PDB file of all heavy atoms in Angstrom:
ATOM      1  N   ALA H  89      37.098  57.978  41.972  1.00 60.00           N
ATOM      2  CA  ALA H  89      37.222  58.264  40.526  1.00 60.00           C
ATOM      3  C   ALA H  89      36.138  57.249  39.908  1.00 60.00           C
ATOM      4  O   ALA H  89      35.562  57.533  38.917  1.00 60.00           O
ATOM      5  CB  ALA H  89      38.610  57.948  40.056  1.00 60.00           C
ATOM      6  N   VAL H  90      36.023  55.978  40.387  1.00 57.00           N
ATOM      7  CA  VAL H  90      35.252  55.060  39.873  1.00 57.00           C
ATOM      8  C   VAL H  90      33.768  55.360  39.950  1.00 57.00           C
ATOM      9  O   VAL H  90      32.747  55.307  39.113  1.00 57.00           O
ATOM     10  CB  VAL H  90      35.367  53.616  40.505  1.00 57.00           C
ATOM     11  CG1 VAL H  90      34.241  52.800  40.153  1.00 57.00           C
ATOM     12  CG2 VAL H  90      36.741  53.035  40.198  1.00 57.00           C
ATOM     13  N   THR H  91      33.442  56.108  41.186  1.00 72.00           N
ATOM     14  CA  THR H  91      32.001  56.474  41.317  1.00 72.00           C
ATOM     15  C   THR H  91      31.505  57.878  40.839  1.00 72.00           C
ATOM     16  O   THR H  91      30.513  58.317  41.099  1.00 72.00           O
ATOM     17  CB  THR H  91      31.762  56.488  42.878  1.00 72.00           C
ATOM     18  OG1 THR H  91      32.667  57.311  43.533  1.00 72.00           O
ATOM     19  CG2 THR H  91      31.955  54.954  43.494  1.00 72.00           C
ATOM     20  N   ARG H  92      32.462  58.442  40.025  1.00 86.00           N
ATOM     21  CA  ARG H  92      31.986  59.583  39.324  1.00 86.00           C
ATOM     22  C   ARG H  92      30.865  59.347  38.433  1.00 86.00           C
ATOM     23  O   ARG H  92      31.039  58.402  37.629  1.00 86.00           O
ATOM     24  CB  ARG H  92      33.168  60.191  38.617  1.00 86.00           C
ATOM     25  CG  ARG H  92      32.837  61.448  37.701  1.00 86.00           C
ATOM     26  CD  ARG H  92      33.848  61.775  36.655  1.00 86.00           C
ATOM     27  NE  ARG H  92      33.343  62.736  35.772  1.00 86.00           N
ATOM     28  CZ  ARG H  92      34.123  63.228  34.703  1.00 86.00           C
ATOM     29  NH1 ARG H  92      35.431  62.948  34.656  1.00 86.00           N
ATOM     30  NH2 ARG H  92      33.608  64.059  33.846  1.00 86.00           N
ATOM     31  N   PRO H  93      29.885  60.078  38.454  1.00 94.00           N
ATOM     32  CA  PRO H  93      28.609  59.785  37.626  1.00 94.00           C
ATOM     33  C   PRO H  93      29.021  59.834  36.098  1.00 94.00           C
ATOM     34  O   PRO H  93      29.839  60.677  35.731  1.00 94.00           O
ATOM     35  CB  PRO H  93      27.673  60.787  37.998  1.00 94.00           C
ATOM     36  CG  PRO H  93      28.090  61.457  39.363  1.00 94.00           C
ATOM     37  CD  PRO H  93      29.587  61.314  39.328  1.00 94.00           C
ATOM     38  N   LEU H  94      28.386  58.959  35.393  1.00 96.00           N
ATOM     39  CA  LEU H  94      28.403  59.031  33.915  1.00 96.00           C
ATOM     40  C   LEU H  94      27.173  59.852  33.572  1.00 96.00           C
ATOM     41  O   LEU H  94      26.053  59.506  33.780  1.00 96.00           O
ATOM     42  CB  LEU H  94      28.361  57.770  33.250  1.00 96.00           C
ATOM     43  CG  LEU H  94      28.499  57.641  31.747  1.00 96.00           C
ATOM     44  CD1 LEU H  94      29.891  57.964  31.390  1.00 96.00           C
ATOM     45  CD2 LEU H  94      27.993  56.377  31.131  1.00 96.00           C
ATOM     46  N   ARG H  95      27.576  60.943  32.939  1.00 97.00           N
ATOM     47  CA  ARG H  95      26.393  61.988  32.425  1.00 97.00           C
ATOM     48  C   ARG H  95      25.940  61.665  31.089  1.00 97.00           C
ATOM     49  O   ARG H  95      26.726  61.818  30.161  1.00 97.00           O
ATOM     50  CB  ARG H  95      26.928  63.443  32.779  1.00 97.00           C
ATOM     51  CG  ARG H  95      27.455  63.690  34.100  1.00 97.00           C
ATOM     52  CD  ARG H  95      28.397  64.898  34.183  1.00 97.00           C
ATOM     53  NE  ARG H  95      29.563  64.661  33.329  1.00 97.00           N
ATOM     54  CZ  ARG H  95      30.420  65.591  33.066  1.00 97.00           C
ATOM     55  NH1 ARG H  95      30.274  66.869  33.508  1.00 97.00           N
ATOM     56  NH2 ARG H  95      31.494  65.341  32.245  1.00 97.00           N
ATOM     57  N   VAL H  96      24.781  61.361  30.944  1.00 98.00           N
ATOM     58  CA  VAL H  96      24.151  61.017  29.622  1.00 98.00           C
ATOM     59  C   VAL H  96      23.268  62.137  29.219  1.00 98.00           C
ATOM     60  O   VAL H  96      22.328  62.224  29.698  1.00 98.00           O
ATOM     61  CB  VAL H  96      23.391  59.636  29.760  1.00 98.00           C
ATOM     62  CG1 VAL H  96      22.895  59.213  28.332  1.00 98.00           C
ATOM     63  CG2 VAL H  96      24.378  58.452  30.180  1.00 98.00           C
ATOM     64  N   GLY H  97      23.601  62.664  28.035  1.00 98.00           N
ATOM     65  CA  GLY H  97      22.782  63.695  27.563  1.00 98.00           C
ATOM     66  C   GLY H  97      21.801  63.164  26.443  1.00 98.00           C
ATOM     67  O   GLY H  97      22.152  62.183  25.707  1.00 98.00           O
ATOM     68  N   ILE H  98      20.409  63.638  26.337  1.00 97.00           N
ATOM     69  CA  ILE H  98      19.611  63.055  25.477  1.00 97.00           C
ATOM     70  C   ILE H  98      18.885  64.236  24.737  1.00 97.00           C
ATOM     71  O   ILE H  98      18.217  65.112  25.470  1.00 97.00           O
ATOM     72  CB  ILE H  98      18.598  62.173  26.188  1.00 97.00           C
ATOM     73  CG1 ILE H  98      19.189  60.975  26.955  1.00 97.00           C
ATOM     74  CG2 ILE H  98      17.585  61.625  25.163  1.00 97.00           C
ATOM     75  CD1 ILE H  98      18.255  60.076  27.739  1.00 97.00           C
ATOM     76  N   MET H  99      18.932  64.326  23.475  1.00 96.00           N
ATOM     77  CA  MET H  99      18.233  65.387  22.782  1.00 96.00           C
ATOM     78  C   MET H  99      16.937  64.682  22.356  1.00 96.00           C
ATOM     79  O   MET H  99      16.955  63.699  21.716  1.00 96.00           O
ATOM     80  CB  MET H  99      19.060  65.769  21.550  1.00 96.00           C
ATOM     81  CG  MET H  99      18.253  66.821  20.698  1.00 96.00           C
ATOM     82  SD  MET H  99      19.250  67.357  19.276  1.00 96.00           S
ATOM     83  CE  MET H  99      20.422  68.407  20.007  1.00 96.00           C
ATOM     84  N   GLY H 100      15.847  65.387  22.751  1.00 94.00           N
ATOM     85  CA  GLY H 100      14.483  64.902  22.471  1.00 94.00           C
ATOM     86  C   GLY H 100      14.335  63.510  23.072  1.00 94.00           C
ATOM     87  O   GLY H 100      14.474  63.298  24.208  1.00 94.00           O
ATOM     88  N   HIS H 101      13.925  62.427  22.183  1.00 94.00           N
ATOM     89  CA  HIS H 101      13.703  61.158  22.635  1.00 94.00           C
ATOM     90  C   HIS H 101      14.912  60.358  22.211  1.00 94.00           C
ATOM     91  O   HIS H 101      14.929  59.097  22.326  1.00 94.00           O
ATOM     92  CB  HIS H 101      12.517  60.480  21.962  1.00 94.00           C
ATOM     93  CG  HIS H 101      12.465  60.279  20.627  1.00 94.00           C
ATOM     94  ND1 HIS H 101      12.346  61.449  19.621  1.00 94.00           N
ATOM     95  CD2 HIS H 101      12.544  59.197  19.796  1.00 94.00           C
ATOM     96  CE1 HIS H 101      12.511  61.054  18.471  1.00 94.00           C
ATOM     97  NE2 HIS H 101      12.568  59.679  18.529  1.00 94.00           N
ATOM     98  N   GLY H 102      16.106  60.980  21.963  1.00 95.00           N
ATOM     99  CA  GLY H 102      17.368  60.229  21.635  1.00 95.00           C
ATOM    100  C   GLY H 102      17.193  59.360  20.473  1.00 95.00           C
ATOM    101  O   GLY H 102      16.751  59.693  19.392  1.00 95.00           O
ATOM    102  N   SER H 103      17.618  58.058  20.691  1.00 95.00           N
ATOM    103  CA  SER H 103      17.590  57.033  19.608  1.00 95.00           C
ATOM    104  C   SER H 103      16.420  56.096  19.799  1.00 95.00           C
ATOM    105  O   SER H 103      16.502  54.861  19.776  1.00 95.00           O
ATOM    106  CB  SER H 103      18.930  56.412  19.547  1.00 95.00           C
ATOM    107  OG  SER H 103      19.826  57.084  19.150  1.00 95.00           O
ATOM    108  N   ALA H 104      15.195  56.670  20.237  1.00 94.00           N
ATOM    109  CA  ALA H 104      14.015  55.846  20.413  1.00 94.00           C
ATOM    110  C   ALA H 104      14.260  54.819  21.525  1.00 94.00           C
ATOM    111  O   ALA H 104      14.918  55.089  22.562  1.00 94.00           O
ATOM    112  CB  ALA H 104      13.533  55.315  19.128  1.00 94.00           C
ATOM    113  N   GLU H 105      13.831  53.545  21.338  1.00 94.00           N
ATOM    114  CA  GLU H 105      13.873  52.502  22.250  1.00 94.00           C
ATOM    115  C   GLU H 105      15.335  52.178  22.620  1.00 94.00           C
ATOM    116  O   GLU H 105      15.653  51.518  23.713  1.00 94.00           O
ATOM    117  CB  GLU H 105      13.091  51.270  21.846  1.00 94.00           C
ATOM    118  CG  GLU H 105      11.589  51.523  21.905  1.00 94.00           C
ATOM    119  CD  GLU H 105      11.032  52.254  20.781  1.00 94.00           C
ATOM    120  OE1 GLU H 105      11.776  52.522  19.726  1.00 94.00           O
ATOM    121  OE2 GLU H 105       9.780  52.526  20.637  1.00 94.00           O
ATOM    122  N   LEU H 106      16.297  52.433  21.859  1.00 96.00           N
ATOM    123  CA  LEU H 106      17.567  52.088  22.000  1.00 96.00           C
ATOM    124  C   LEU H 106      18.277  52.897  23.121  1.00 96.00           C
ATOM    125  O   LEU H 106      19.132  52.432  23.877  1.00 96.00           O
ATOM    126  CB  LEU H 106      18.419  52.344  20.654  1.00 96.00           C
ATOM    127  CG  LEU H 106      19.921  52.122  20.763  1.00 96.00           C
ATOM    128  CD1 LEU H 106      20.168  50.514  21.112  1.00 96.00           C
ATOM    129  CD2 LEU H 106      20.648  52.358  19.444  1.00 96.00           C
ATOM    130  N   THR H 107      17.706  54.144  23.311  1.00 97.00           N
ATOM    131  CA  THR H 107      18.400  54.975  24.431  1.00 97.00           C
ATOM    132  C   THR H 107      18.112  54.360  25.836  1.00 97.00           C
ATOM    133  O   THR H 107      19.027  54.091  26.505  1.00 97.00           O
ATOM    134  CB  THR H 107      17.796  56.448  24.274  1.00 97.00           C
ATOM    135  OG1 THR H 107      18.088  57.076  23.162  1.00 97.00           O
ATOM    136  CG2 THR H 107      18.206  57.178  25.478  1.00 97.00           C
ATOM    137  N   PRO H 108      16.902  53.901  26.204  1.00 96.00           N
ATOM    138  CA  PRO H 108      16.814  53.392  27.463  1.00 96.00           C
ATOM    139  C   PRO H 108      17.468  52.010  27.518  1.00 96.00           C
ATOM    140  O   PRO H 108      17.933  51.613  28.635  1.00 96.00           O
ATOM    141  CB  PRO H 108      15.350  53.209  27.764  1.00 96.00           C
ATOM    142  CG  PRO H 108      14.735  53.440  26.423  1.00 96.00           C
ATOM    143  CD  PRO H 108      15.655  54.254  25.597  1.00 96.00           C
ATOM    144  N   ALA H 109      17.399  51.302  26.503  1.00 96.00           N
ATOM    145  CA  ALA H 109      18.014  49.922  26.462  1.00 96.00           C
ATOM    146  C   ALA H 109      19.469  50.111  26.753  1.00 96.00           C
ATOM    147  O   ALA H 109      20.075  49.378  27.587  1.00 96.00           O
ATOM    148  CB  ALA H 109      17.754  49.245  25.087  1.00 96.00           C
ATOM    149  N   ALA H 110      20.166  51.116  26.142  1.00 97.00           N
ATOM    150  CA  ALA H 110      21.666  51.219  26.332  1.00 97.00           C
ATOM    151  C   ALA H 110      21.857  51.761  27.863  1.00 97.00           C
ATOM    152  O   ALA H 110      22.874  51.193  28.341  1.00 97.00           O
ATOM    153  CB  ALA H 110      22.247  52.295  25.361  1.00 97.00           C
ATOM    154  N   ILE H 111      21.125  52.589  28.343  1.00 97.00           N
ATOM    155  CA  ILE H 111      21.342  53.200  29.630  1.00 97.00           C
ATOM    156  C   ILE H 111      21.174  52.042  30.696  1.00 97.00           C
ATOM    157  O   ILE H 111      21.953  51.779  31.691  1.00 97.00           O
ATOM    158  CB  ILE H 111      20.447  54.246  29.980  1.00 97.00           C
ATOM    159  CG1 ILE H 111      20.800  55.542  29.138  1.00 97.00           C
ATOM    160  CG2 ILE H 111      20.442  54.600  31.507  1.00 97.00           C
ATOM    161  CD1 ILE H 111      19.807  56.675  29.215  1.00 97.00           C
ATOM    162  N   ASN H 112      20.124  51.104  30.449  1.00 96.00           N
ATOM    163  CA  ASN H 112      19.815  50.032  31.389  1.00 96.00           C
ATOM    164  C   ASN H 112      20.937  48.955  31.202  1.00 96.00           C
ATOM    165  O   ASN H 112      21.255  48.305  32.320  1.00 96.00           O
ATOM    166  CB  ASN H 112      18.519  49.414  31.152  1.00 96.00           C
ATOM    167  CG  ASN H 112      17.353  50.288  31.549  1.00 96.00           C
ATOM    168  OD1 ASN H 112      17.494  51.192  32.442  1.00 96.00           O
ATOM    169  ND2 ASN H 112      16.212  50.259  30.889  1.00 96.00           N
ATOM    170  N   ALA H 113      21.466  48.680  30.132  1.00 96.00           N
ATOM    171  CA  ALA H 113      22.619  47.757  29.879  1.00 96.00           C
ATOM    172  C   ALA H 113      23.890  48.196  30.595  1.00 96.00           C
ATOM    173  O   ALA H 113      24.407  47.405  31.286  1.00 96.00           O
ATOM    174  CB  ALA H 113      22.822  47.563  28.425  1.00 96.00           C
ATOM    175  N   TYR H 114      24.050  49.468  30.525  1.00 97.00           N
ATOM    176  CA  TYR H 114      25.241  50.060  31.293  1.00 97.00           C
ATOM    177  C   TYR H 114      25.052  49.864  32.859  1.00 97.00           C
ATOM    178  O   TYR H 114      26.072  49.540  33.527  1.00 97.00           O
ATOM    179  CB  TYR H 114      25.495  51.497  30.893  1.00 97.00           C
ATOM    180  CG  TYR H 114      26.640  52.066  31.554  1.00 97.00           C
ATOM    181  CD1 TYR H 114      27.865  51.889  31.192  1.00 97.00           C
ATOM    182  CD2 TYR H 114      26.460  52.957  32.686  1.00 97.00           C
ATOM    183  CE1 TYR H 114      29.055  52.413  31.946  1.00 97.00           C
ATOM    184  CE2 TYR H 114      27.460  53.488  33.471  1.00 97.00           C
ATOM    185  CZ  TYR H 114      28.728  53.213  32.951  1.00 97.00           C
ATOM    186  OH  TYR H 114      29.892  53.781  33.623  1.00 97.00           O
TER     187      TYR H 114
END
Side-chain angles (χ1 to χ4, degrees):
V90 168
T91 56
R92 171 189 168 182
L94 183 75
R95 302 161 298 171
V96 180
I98 305 174
M99 177 182 286
H101 65 290
S103 297
E105 289 80 6
L106 181 60
T107 296
I111 293 170
N112 290 333
Y114 177 79

